[in-house]
């Protein structure tokens, strides 16, 4: 059994928590997307259930090892030099692996995570700067004028069009296209 706890530096929407029970209560009371996943993250199982997208066949539920998820989070942190205290934005649904992994990265690496409502323009009401965020191409396209608020951005869940790629080249944001899927516990390849 994997012993999971909150990293001492982890914050959610500016709040610190004494333990996982206080954290889960906060998420549930505030109706923050991800409560179901987080409840299963801290249960006694060594795995979580995730739904595949269907891009390689019929969508189905699969078991993903919590250790694999922690290893993936650690690898992302190392690759992008995202240390404790990293200011991160979750703007993707926790129903899918990308959203789940943003939670795991923040919880295990000690990030300061802000969660916004999932929509096609996640930066529309955002005014603060972030070190790291993940988006799908449509979110990036609709946020192009505010991407300067994000230092490092990974894009997954679809192809980055040539038009979008050319718009991104003039930004100061470090942008990476990623490839991965639920079965690989999020991205396994990145391209600047």
């Amino acid at each position: 059994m994997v012993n999971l706890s909150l990293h001492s530096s982890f914050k959610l929407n500016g709040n610190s928590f004494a333990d996982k029970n206080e954290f889960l209560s906060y998420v549930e009371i505030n109706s923050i997307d991800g409560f179901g996943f987080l409840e299963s993250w801290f249960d006694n199982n060594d795995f979580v259930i995730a739904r595949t997208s269907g891009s390689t066949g019929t969508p189905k539920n699969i078991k993903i090892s919590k250790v694999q998820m922690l290893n993936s989070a650690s690898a992302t942190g190392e690759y992008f030099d995202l240390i404790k205290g990293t200011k991160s934005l979750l703007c993707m649904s926790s129903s899918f692996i990308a959203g789940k992994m943003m939670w795991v990265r923040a919880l295990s690496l000690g990030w300061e995570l802000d969660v916004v409502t999932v929509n096609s323009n996640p930066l529309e009401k955002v005014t603060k700067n972030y070190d790291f965020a993940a988006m799908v191409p449509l979110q990036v396209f609709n946020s192009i004028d505010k991407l300067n608020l994000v230092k490092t951005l990974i894009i997954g869940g679809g192809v980055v069009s040539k038009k979008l790629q050319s718009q991104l080249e003039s930004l100061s944001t470090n942008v990476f296209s990623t490839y991965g899927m639920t079965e690989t516990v999020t991205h396994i390849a990145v391209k600047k």
Side-chain angles (χ1 to χ4, degrees), residues 113-149:
L113 181 69
D114 286 345
V115 179
V116 295
T117 303
V118 177
N119 65 44
S120 63
N121 192 353
L123 297 180
E124 184 175 31
K125 297 178 183 173
V126 170
T127 58
K128 72 185 267 189
N129 291 307
Y130 290 97
D131 299 311
F132 186 76
M135 296 182 191
V136 297
L138 178 62
Q139 290 176 313
V140 175
F141 181 80
N142 290 331
S143 301
I144 201 82
D145 293 337
K146 294 187 84 177
L147 282 181
N148 61 314
L149 296 174

Side-chain angles (χ1 to χ4, degrees), residues 37-127:
F37 165 69
L38 294 166
E39 202 173 34
S40 67
W41 180 251
F42 289 111
D43 70 17
N44 291 327
N45 293 314
D46 289 340
F47 61 88
V48 296
I49 301 295
R51 186 136 182 97
T52 65
S53 67
S55 60
T56 60
T58 304
K60 61 183 177 278
N61 290 335
I62 62 171
K63 290 180 180 180
I64 299 178
S65 157
K66 291 177 183 177
V67 170
Q68 287 175 310
M69 295 176 84
L70 289 168
N71 289 341
S72 175
S74 179
T76 298
E78 280 183 41
Y79 185 83
F80 293 109
D81 195 26
L82 302 168
I83 57 174
K84 72 179 180 181
T86 290
K87 290 167 183 40
S88 56
L89 178 69
L90 173 55
C91 56
M92 302 174 83
S93 173
S94 299
S95 298
F96 300 100
I97 194 65
K100 288 174 175 37
M101 286 307 302
M102 284 297 290
W103 280 113
V104 174
R105 292 173 192 131
L107 291 165
S108 64
L109 300 176
W111 291 359
E112 297 175 13
L113 181 69
D114 286 345
V115 179
V116 295
T117 303
V118 177
N119 65 44
S120 63
N121 192 353
L123 297 180
E124 184 175 31
K125 297 178 183 173
V126 170
T127 58

